[in-house]
Amino acid sequence: MNIVDKLKYGKNEYLKLENIIFANSRYKIITTAWLIFAAVFFMCNIVLIMQGLSDRAQQYQELIDESRISHKNNSIAGAIEENNGSTAVQVEKYTVFFDIKCEENLFLNKDDIDVFVDDAKIGRVPHGFEFTKFLSLSEGDHIVKFVSSSTSQRAIQVDEKATLKCDITIDFSELCINEFSLEKGISTNEEVLNSIPGTYYGFGESGLVLFDDYSAEYCMDYYDSVGTGGSWYYRDGKLYITLTKPQCKIYADVRDIVGNEKISIVADNPYTWGDEDFIKLSDEAKPLSVEEYKIVIKKGQELRKVTDVINSINSIGEVNLGSGGNITSARKLFEELDDDSKTHVTNYEVLENAEEAYRILEKDEVEKAISEIGDVTLESSTQINSVRNLYDEKTDDVKKIISNYDVLTKAEMELSRLRVQNVENILSVIDVDKITLDDADMVQSAEMEFNKLNSEEQALVENSNVIKDAVEKINELKEEEKKARTMSGTKLQITVDACKEYGVTEVYDEFFGHGTRCKHLSDSSGGLTIDIIYYTENNEIMCATIVTNKAVSSKTQRKFVKGITKYICPSSDASTISSWVNSNIGDKVEKNLNGFTYELSVGSVDNILYSAGEREWEKWESKQINPE
C-alpha cells in the first residue's frame, strides 16, 4: 500500500487493511514451503524405487547367471554319465588375471571386500586399495562374487587367457559394481607376481613381509611393535604397497625382478618415506615378532655385504691394465666377509679369473718395458728408474713370473758403473790448492753429481776425498770474503792526529753500514780533504781518498799527500807506498800491492787525487748488499 492508499482510507481503515494483507502473505509463504517439501519427498521416493528396481534387476540377472551356469554344468555332468565313465571329458584351463579396485569412500563406508569365484574365496580387497591375482580357471562359465555388508556377483565365460577388470564402490551398505569387463590377453607377468610374496630386508635396517593374501607388515630395527594391516598389489611391472606403520603408500618398479634381486621402493609422499632398497631373503611369508624381525635384519645385513661383493665383482667387466682398482676393491670386500658369507658369493670364480688375467697383463707390461731399455748410457737413467719403479709396484705373484728381470738388473749395474766413472772424471780436474771463489760453481756442480750417487756408488768413487776438500776450501774462502778487508796495522786516531799537522780536522763521522763508518776531514779553506772508511770493530782503515784543490798552493797539496799516504796503507807496506807516491806524484798511475790498489792522478784544475784500497772496499760492500 502506498501513500495514496493511506490518504484514501484514513488511518484506522488503513491499519485494518494492512493486517489483512500481511496475513495473506504469511499464508502464501507457508503454502509454497509445503509444496516444495512435498516435491522433494516425492523425488526421493522415486529415486529409492528406481534403486530398488535396479537392485532387483541385478539380483535377477545374478539368478539367471547362476541358473545358466548350473544348467550348463548339469549338461556337462549328463554328458559324462552318458559315456558311462568310459571316456573322460577333457576340460581346458586358462589363466585369468584379476585386477579389482575398491574406491575409497571413508565418509559412507570403509569396509573391505571378499572376493569369491564359484563360492571359493580367492582374496580380499582392502578398502580404498586394489587386488591383483592370477587364477587358473576351467573353460566355461563362472560366478565372481563380491561380499561386504552386501553382496553382488557377475558371471564370466572363460575360453582363453584374459584379464578381469572390476571397479567397486560401497555407499552406505550397498556394494555397487561400477565397471566389470573381461578382456582378452594378460599384460602382467605372472612369474614376477608369484615371486613377490616373501620376507625382505631393507637397507634402512628394516624388515618387510608380503603375504600370499596380499596383506603386508613392516618393522624397523628400533620399533617396539610390528606395523601390521598393510596390503599390496602388482600391476604393469610395479609393486604397490600400503603400510600402517609408517602410514604411507609406496611403490617399486619390479618389472625385471625375480628371486633375490634388489628392489628400490619410493613413496608417493617423500615426507613420509625415504627411498629404501630391499633384498628378498626368502619366499616364506609368515607374521613375525619384533625379535624375529631383528633376526631378519641381521641376516639381511650379511646378505647385503654379499650382494655388495657380487656387484663389485660384476663391475670389473673386461679386464685391462686399468682394472686394478676395481679388482683390488672387490678382493678387499670379499676378504671382509665371514667364512659362511663367502660361500654365498656366486661369482667368486669371476674374481679369480679377473685377478689371473690382470697378473698376466701386468707381467707383459713389465717385460715389455724391460725389453725396451737397449744399450745403457748415462741418458738411460730416467728410463731405467721408471722400469724399476714399475717392477716394484707389482705384487710378488707378478714379480715371480717376469721372465727377463735379469736384463733390468744388468742394466742397473752398468748404469751405476757409468755414474761412478762420470763423477771420477769430474773430480779429476779439480785442484784443491788452486781453488778460488771463481771456482765455486764448478765445485757445486761436482758436489751435486756426487750426491746423485747412492751410498754404495759413492763408496766406489776412488777420488771422493777431492769433493770434500774442495767444498771445505770454497766455504773457507766465502767466510774470509765476508770479513771486512782492513789495512792491518793502520790506526785511525794516528791518521787523524797526523792530519792536524796540516790544519786538517774532523768535519763529521757517519755510519756507513755493515759495521763501517766514514770520517770526513778538511782544512778551513777546503783545499785539503780526506775521507776515511774504517771498521768499527777494531778502528782499522779499509780505504781512504785524498782530494786537494787550488784553494791551497800546489806545494801544500803535494806535501799533504806525501805526508799522509804512509798512514793509509798496511804498516808493512808503508815505506814502499810512500816511496811510490814521492816518485809519481803529478802523474796518473796505480799500484797493486798485497791485495790493495793505490791510485794517483792530477785533476783538471791542478788538484791531486789519491785513493788507497777504494776498489777493494767497493767490491766488499757490494757483496754485503747482494751476497749471491
Side-chain angles (χ1 to χ4, degrees):
M1 180 176 291
N2 54 33
I3 189 65
V4 176
D5 294 327
K6 291 180 180 181
L7 295 173
K8 178 179 178 181
Y9 292 102
K11 181 177 181 181
N12 292 333
E13 292 297 326
Y14 163 72
L15 292 174
K16 291 179 182 180
L17 184 60
E18 190 175 56
N19 288 334
I20 294 172
I21 293 172
F22 178 71
N24 288 337
S25 297
R26 289 178 59 193
Y27 174 76
K28 289 179 180 180
I29 292 172
I30 293 172
T31 302
T32 301
W34 274 106
L35 289 174
I36 292 173
F37 175 77
V40 171
F41 180 78
F42 176 77
M43 292 300 294
C44 287
N45 277 279
I46 292 296
V47 170
L48 291 174
I49 291 170
M50 293 299 293
Q51 181 66 45
L53 291 174
S54 174
D55 291 342
R56 288 181 176 276
Q58 179 173 316
Q59 294 171 2
Y60 179 71
Q61 181 62 44
E62 291 171 356
L63 291 173
I64 292 174
D65 290 339
E66 286 184 344
S67 176
R68 179 167 55 83
I69 291 172
S70 176
H71 176 72
K72 183 171 182 177
N73 291 337
N74 289 335
S75 298
I76 293 173
I80 294 174
E81 291 176 0
E82 289 178 3
N83 281 277
N84 296 320
S86 60
T87 303
V89 177
Q90 298 296 323
V91 180
E92 292 286 345
K93 287 194 173 185
Y94 298 99
T95 299
V96 178
F97 177 61
F98 285 76
D99 187 353
I100 303 171
K101 181 178 182 181
C102 175
E103 297 288 349
E104 190 173 39
N105 190 359
L106 297 178
F107 293 104
L108 301 179
N109 189 296
K110 54 180 180 180
D111 293 341
D112 298 335
I113 302 171
D114 291 325
V115 183
F116 296 81
V117 175
D118 299 335
D119 293 327
K121 184 177 177 179
I122 65 170
R124 169 170 289 189
V125 187
H127 181 84
F129 209 61
E130 301 192 25
F131 168 85
T132 55
K133 185 178 182 67
F134 282 93
L135 201 63
S136 180
L137 297 178
S138 59
E139 182 179 13
D141 294 334
H142 298 273
I143 292 293
V144 181
K145 185 182 298 184
F146 305 98
V147 178
S148 182
S149 52
S150 63
T151 300
S152 185
Q153 64 184 37
R154 288 287 188 274
I156 59 173
Q157 185 176 20
V158 177
D159 55 12
E160 61 180 338
K161 289 184 177 181
T163 298
L164 174 63
K165 291 187 176 182
C166 182
D167 189 5
I168 303 173
T169 57
I170 304 178
D171 297 329
F172 298 105
S173 61
E174 295 297 327
L175 187 152
C176 302
I177 301 176
N178 302 321
E179 178 186 344
F180 188 92
S181 63
L182 187 67
E183 301 175 357
K184 294 181 179 181
I186 298 174
S187 59
T188 297
N189 189 317
E190 181 177 2
E191 180 184 6
V192 174
L193 177 63
N194 292 336
S195 72
I196 288 175
T199 302
Y200 292 80
Y201 159 71
F203 286 16
E205 311 310 333
S206 65
L208 172 70
V209 177
L210 303 179
F211 298 99
D212 292 324
D213 64 356
Y214 300 92
S215 61
E217 64 180 36
Y218 178 79
C219 186
M220 294 288 291
D221 60 347
Y222 59 86
Y223 280 7
D224 55 6
S225 63
V226 179
T228 59
S231 57
W232 68 274
Y233 70 93
Y234 174 75
R235 176 195 292 143
D236 298 332
K238 286 190 182 296
L239 169 64
Y240 298 87
I241 307 172
T242 295
L243 298 178
T244 58
K245 181 182 180 180
Q247 292 186 353
C248 62
K249 291 184 178 181
I250 56 181
Y251 67 91
D253 189 345
V254 294
R255 187 181 304 278
D256 300 320
I257 302 302
V258 177
N260 291 338
E261 295 291 337
K262 183 176 68 176
I263 60 175
S264 181
I265 296 181
V266 297
D268 290 338
N269 183 352
Y271 295 104
T272 60
W273 181 280
D275 294 356
E276 187 171 3
D277 292 333
F278 284 80
I279 297 176
K280 189 177 185 183
L281 300 183
S282 70
D283 292 330
E284 185 178 15
K286 65 177 183 178
L288 301 176
S289 66
V290 172
E291 292 303 318
E292 287 173 322
Y293 269 109
K294 291 184 184 297
I295 296 173
V296 166
I297 292 170
K298 184 175 180 180
K299 181 179 178 181
Q301 290 170 341
E302 291 301 318
L303 181 60
R304 179 181 179 181
K305 292 178 182 178
V306 171
T307 302
D308 289 342
V309 173
I310 292 173
N311 292 337
S312 181
I313 293 174
N314 288 336
S315 69
I316 294 173
E318 184 178 353
V319 179
N320 53 53
L321 286 173
S323 302
N326 288 342
I327 293 174
T328 301
S329 176
R331 168 57 66 180
K332 182 175 182 295
L333 289 176
F334 178 81
E335 294 301 332
E336 290 174 353
L337 297 176
D338 57 39
D339 292 340
D340 180 64
S341 296
K342 287 179 179 178
T343 63
H344 296 288
V345 178
T346 56
N347 57 350
Y348 178 65
E349 186 178 352
V350 175
L351 174 59
E352 290 184 310
N353 293 338
E355 289 175 327
E356 180 60 26
Y358 188 67
R359 274 194 292 270
I360 298 302
L361 288 175
E362 287 195 303
K363 175 188 81 73
D364 294 343
E365 179 188 24
V366 176
E367 289 180 346
K368 182 175 182 295
I370 292 175
S371 66
E372 292 175 350
I373 292 176
D375 296 333
V376 179
T377 66
L378 286 174
E379 285 70 32
S380 304
S381 177
T382 300
Q383 181 186 17
I384 292 174
N385 290 338
S386 176
V387 176
R388 165 54 66 182
N389 291 335
L390 181 64
Y391 175 85
D392 289 343
E393 289 172 358
K394 305 309 177 186
T395 63
D396 291 340
D397 288 342
V398 175
K399 290 177 180 177
K400 66 185 181 183
I401 60 175
I402 293 174
S403 60
N404 59 347
Y405 177 64
D406 62 313
V407 175
L408 173 59
T409 57
K410 290 178 181 179
E412 289 176 324
M413 292 175 62
E414 176 61 16
L415 177 63
S416 180
R417 187 190 68 79
L418 292 175
R419 283 154 55 89
V420 170
Q421 185 181 66
N422 178 58
V423 171
E424 288 178 341
N425 292 339
I426 293 173
L427 297 180
S428 65
V429 300
I430 298 177
D431 187 346
V432 177
D433 295 334
K434 296 181 179 181
I435 285 178
T436 67
L437 285 176
D438 293 336
D439 300 318
D441 290 342
M442 178 186 67
V443 173
Q444 183 181 21
S445 177
E447 184 182 24
M448 290 176 61
E449 290 299 319
F450 181 80
N451 289 336
K452 288 179 182 178
L453 304 179
N454 58 45
S455 58
E456 294 178 356
E457 291 172 336
Q458 289 178 355
L460 295 174
V461 178
E462 295 181 354
N463 55 348
S464 60
N465 62 302
V466 173
I467 190 63
K468 179 181 178 182
D469 295 342
V471 171
E472 289 179 354
K473 182 64 179 292
I474 291 296
N475 289 337
E476 289 174 1
L477 292 174
K478 288 181 177 178
E479 287 300 319
E480 290 180 4
E481 189 179 40
K482 290 179 181 178
K483 296 179 181 178
R485 287 289 309 276
T486 60
M487 297 176 177
S488 60
T490 57
K491 297 298 180 182
L492 177 65
Q493 192 57 47
I494 293 175
T495 305
V496 172
D497 292 342
C499 289
K500 291 179 180 179
E501 297 178 8
Y502 301 92
V504 177
T505 58
E506 181 179 333
V507 177
Y508 60 82
D509 188 318
E510 63 182 359
F511 179 69
F512 247 40
H514 311 296
T516 64
R517 297 184 71 86
C518 178
K519 191 180 289 289
H520 178 73
L521 299 92
S522 175
D523 68 350
S524 58
S525 67
L528 302 175
T529 64
I530 181 172
D531 289 299
I532 304 172
I533 297 177
Y534 64 97
Y535 197 52
T536 57
E537 185 175 316
N538 53 18
N539 282 340
E540 284 190 340
I541 296 173
M542 298 180 69
C543 71
T545 301
I546 298 175
V547 178
T548 65
N549 58 58
K550 63 181 181 179
V552 296
S553 66
S554 176
K555 181 179 178 180
T556 302
Q557 294 180 47
R558 288 172 179 266
K559 184 178 179 181
F560 177 69
V561 173
K562 290 178 180 181
I564 298 302
T565 52
K566 61 185 177 183
Y567 297 105
I568 52 176
C569 64
S571 57
S572 59
D573 299 331
S575 61
T576 301
I577 293 302
S578 180
S579 176
W580 176 76
V581 171
N582 287 332
S583 301
N584 294 282
I585 194 167
D587 296 328
K588 183 177 182 181
V589 292
E590 67 176 57
K591 183 177 182 64
N592 293 304
L593 182 63
N594 294 326
F596 288 98
T597 303
Y598 303 90
E599 298 176 89
L600 187 62
S601 63
V602 178
S604 57
V605 289
D606 297 328
N607 57 317
I608 299 174
L609 305 176
Y610 176 81
S611 68
E614 185 174 342
R615 290 185 186 179
E616 288 70 31
W617 176 81
E618 289 176 347
K619 184 177 180 180
W620 177 84
E621 175 71 8
S622 177
K623 286 187 176 294
Q624 306 312 304
I625 298 173
N626 300 300
E628 296 300 325

